[in-house]
Amino acid sequence: MENGDEEGAVEIASNAWRLWVVARDVAGGRAFLASVLDKGETKQSRARSLALYGDALLAFKQGKIEESRRRSQAALDAALAVNDREALTLAHLAASRVAFENGDYAKSLSLAVKAREFARSLDLAMGQAPLFLHAQATRMTGDYEKAAGLFEQSLDLNRKIRDQGMVSAELQNLGLVEIHRGNVDAAERYFAESEKLGSANDPYGAAMTQLYRSAIEFVRGNRDGSRALLQRARSILKEAKIDAAPDDQFEINWLHEQLEKNVRD
């Protein structure tokens, strides 16, 4: 930037932001990107779109959803201008992520589908996050049958690329989908396999394990056991000062409502 090579600076930024993600220095990563993206001309390019995506992701991790939305839109504008498939995949993914966080699941689903379309000719791993969001948004619209199929695809993909963390996550998601479909035995198998992969080694994972067990007890008719486990899940989150993700909070609320409904009835 100091030598006037703005395109070179943006090219470096389009890849180097990942270092701050690995280091878990979100604020540092955003400061780095701002030093490039917010100075000089704003020439649309593939590199600029990818750098904007990086900042959208980092802003999302900060919980600054509106800033993430603005960066996502800017990334999409740049990607459309240069018609680059990777940039278009990530820009639609970023916008889908923001829409999901804002509770607009229909929009999130539509954007995730577009991201998947652009990712089809790219490396297999590029389709991972778009497929995950496609499945999640479908689940949140209440189409559990279709969501089950998408999560199965996602589970298979993550096994192929050997992402054990996402394998565990998708097993949990499949378990929750099967709870809503009334297939408690299948749900229990998915949850058990996930637990074997070490999903409860942190406070959030431990809370979710209690939630899953609570859901199983509810479907099996053990309301008192379900309430106790749900309360334990909430207590773990409260003690750790952690907010549940939107999809997990939905499951907590849904289960609580079902248990309260049972008391009233």
Side-chain angles (χ1 to χ4, degrees):
M1 291 297 289
E2 290 176 1
N3 290 314
D5 185 4
E6 295 175 4
E7 290 186 25
V10 173
E11 184 68 36
I12 292 171
S14 70
N15 293 291
W17 61 263
R18 293 173 174 83
L19 297 174
W20 279 267
V21 175
V22 174
R24 297 186 179 182
D25 181 7
V26 175
R30 295 208 69 201
F32 160 70
L33 287 167
S35 71
V36 177
L37 293 171
D38 297 339
K39 294 182 180 179
E41 298 180 7
T42 57
K43 181 180 178 181
Q44 302 289 45
S45 66
R46 174 182 183 277
R48 183 170 182 81
S49 179
L50 297 179
L52 285 162
Y53 169 79
D55 198 44
L57 177 61
L58 291 169
F60 187 88
K61 288 178 178 291
Q62 280 185 321
K64 296 182 178 180
I65 306 305
E66 178 56 25
E67 290 183 26
S68 182
R69 187 199 65 76
R70 288 198 297 269
R71 287 303 206 193
S72 299
Q73 184 58 55
L76 183 56
D77 291 342
L80 289 168
V82 297
N83 195 31
D84 180 86
R85 295 189 73 85
E86 182 181 359
L88 285 164
T89 298
L90 293 177
H92 281 97
L93 172 64
S96 176
R97 187 183 290 125
V98 169
F100 188 94
E101 184 70 15
N102 286 332
D104 191 343
Y105 302 119
K107 182 177 181 181
S108 177
L109 193 159
S110 176
L111 289 163
V113 169
K114 288 182 180 178
R116 291 191 68 194
E117 290 172 356
F118 288 115
R120 281 200 176 94
S121 61
L122 304 176
D123 182 82
L124 189 63
M126 280 294 292
Q128 180 193 39
L131 175 54
F132 170 73
L133 267 172
H134 186 186
Q136 283 284 55
T138 300
R139 164 190 168 195
M140 295 302 287
T141 62
D143 190 344
Y144 293 110
E145 184 173 353
K146 188 174 289 184
L150 290 166
F151 279 124
E152 286 284 4
Q153 291 179 43
S154 184
L155 178 61
D156 181 61
L157 172 58
N158 282 290
R159 281 176 167 155
K160 285 179 180 176
I161 64 177
R162 299 182 180 182
D163 188 332
Q164 286 296 92
M166 282 303 299
V167 167
S168 178
E170 297 305 54
L171 287 167
Q172 293 166 7
N173 287 325
L174 276 163
L176 289 168
V177 166
E178 294 303 333
I179 286 290
H180 286 282
R181 297 175 78 194
N183 301 327
V184 65
D185 291 338
E188 197 162 28
R189 287 195 299 272
Y190 284 128
F191 292 145
E193 186 178 352
S194 177
E195 283 191 50
K196 289 179 182 178
L197 295 176
S199 61
N201 292 333
D202 61 275
Y204 196 89
M208 293 304 101
T209 296
Q210 299 303 310
L211 172 63
Y212 307 147
R213 291 174 179 171
S214 174
I216 289 172
E217 291 303 312
F218 169 73
V219 177
R220 291 200 184 282
N222 181 5
R223 303 315 200 249
D224 291 339
S226 178
R227 287 189 190 91
L229 289 164
L230 181 60
Q231 182 55 45
R232 179 57 183 154
R234 286 173 149 176
S235 296
I236 292 172
L237 291 173
K238 184 176 181 180
E239 290 167 10
K241 297 180 180 179
I242 300 173
D243 292 328
D247 55 319
D248 292 328
Q249 189 61 54
F250 168 83
E251 299 296 345
I252 291 171
N253 294 343
W254 174 81
L255 191 52
H256 175 73
E257 289 169 6
Q258 297 303 309
L259 290 167
E260 288 299 305
K261 180 181 177 182
N262 181 256
V263 170
R264 292 193 299 270
D265 294 345

